Amino acid sequence: MRTISATGCLVASVLALAACSGGSADPEATAGVPVTTSPTASVGASISVQVSVPPAPAQTGAKPVRFDPCVSVGDDLVTRAGFDPGTRERATTEGVGIFTEIGCQFWRETLVDGEKYPTSAVSVTSSDLTLDDIRKNSGHEVFSSDPIGGRKALLYRTPANTGACSAAVESADGIFRVGIIALPAGPVQAPAPCDEIHRITEILSESLDTR
């Protein structure tokens, strides 16, 4: 039995805030409802996912975001990062407005007394924002600008959202963004997001090499 229903809205809300650029955009967020498992679907030569997801929002901009992490970040990478690929669902921040952002989120769960408890979640999105947009945003606290996977990158906190940490990696669309949020309470203590953000982003950003 998955016990995410009581905390799902909380985590979705904090993830949305943690990943947001701080601008005035009001993306059309999808409902954070877990999707059902379907037969393995191959997406590209070496990418496979076992969960069907709805299509990304329609885009009207002159430069569409072409990389969709929800179908391009394989189950193997999600598993290596420590999250459950079976929880794949469209990111709550996903939408088209002043900027475009599409992607996915995943849960990390721990079995306690026969029940699964969510301890943290990760969002993985592709956006037409730039690293400069992240760097110049007064709501972000950048604490590292070391490259990740050979690409320019920034690691940052959003002080208004405690328990969250984010990374932005330069990509063909603009940026590939990873956001981690740890649940504030529960029977299992999740690792501090900023302690994990570099390692997890390094793993998940390998999906950019399979384009």
Side-chain angles (χ1 to χ4, degrees):
M1 170 183 174
R2 292 183 63 200
T3 57
I4 65 171
S5 57
T7 55
C9 291
L10 169 66
V11 174
S13 298
V14 180
L15 269 174
L17 289 169
C20 119
S21 72
S24 57
D26 183 19
E28 299 174 359
T30 58
V33 179
V35 292
T36 56
T37 301
S38 66
T40 300
S42 293
V43 187
S46 59
I47 303 168
S48 67
V49 300
Q50 294 187 346
V51 170
S52 297
V53 292
Q59 300 179 47
T60 58
K63 182 188 175 185
V65 172
R66 298 188 179 279
F67 184 79
D68 183 354
C70 225
V71 298
S72 298
V73 176
D75 288 350
D76 59 331
L77 297 182
V78 177
T79 300
R80 280 173 52 201
F83 293 82
D84 181 1
T87 63
R88 182 186 300 264
E89 58 187 338
R90 281 285 172 192
T92 56
T93 57
E94 186 177 60
V96 179
I98 293 176
F99 65 93
T100 299
E101 186 164 56
I102 61 174
C104 258
Q105 63 187 37
F106 304 89
W107 297 87
R108 173 189 283 150
E109 299 171 326
T110 301
L111 193 66
V112 178
D113 295 330
E115 293 190 357
K116 286 185 177 181
Y117 288 86
T119 59
S120 56
V122 62
S123 64
V124 188
T125 59
S126 185
S127 172
D128 59 3
L129 292 170
T130 66
L131 290 181
D132 277 345
D133 290 325
I134 301 298
R135 186 183 291 108
K136 294 176 181 178
N137 190 312
S138 60
H140 296 156
E141 182 183 288
V142 176
F143 63 90
S144 174
S145 57
D146 293 338
I148 294 179
R151 295 180 172 85
K152 294 179 181 178
L154 297 174
L155 302 183
Y156 63 99
R157 303 177 184 88
T158 307
N161 300 287
T162 58
C165 205
S166 302
V169 179
E170 192 172 61
S171 70
D173 288 327
I175 58 171
F176 175 86
R177 182 151 50 176
V178 176
I180 305 172
I181 179 73
L183 292 187
V188 180
Q189 183 64 45
C194 284
D195 290 347
E196 295 195 293
I197 189 66
H198 187 282
R199 177 186 65 82
I200 288 174
T201 302
E202 190 168 39
I203 293 170
L204 297 176
S205 65
E206 289 180 23
S207 59
L208 297 173
D209 298 328
T210 62
R211 295 191 65 174

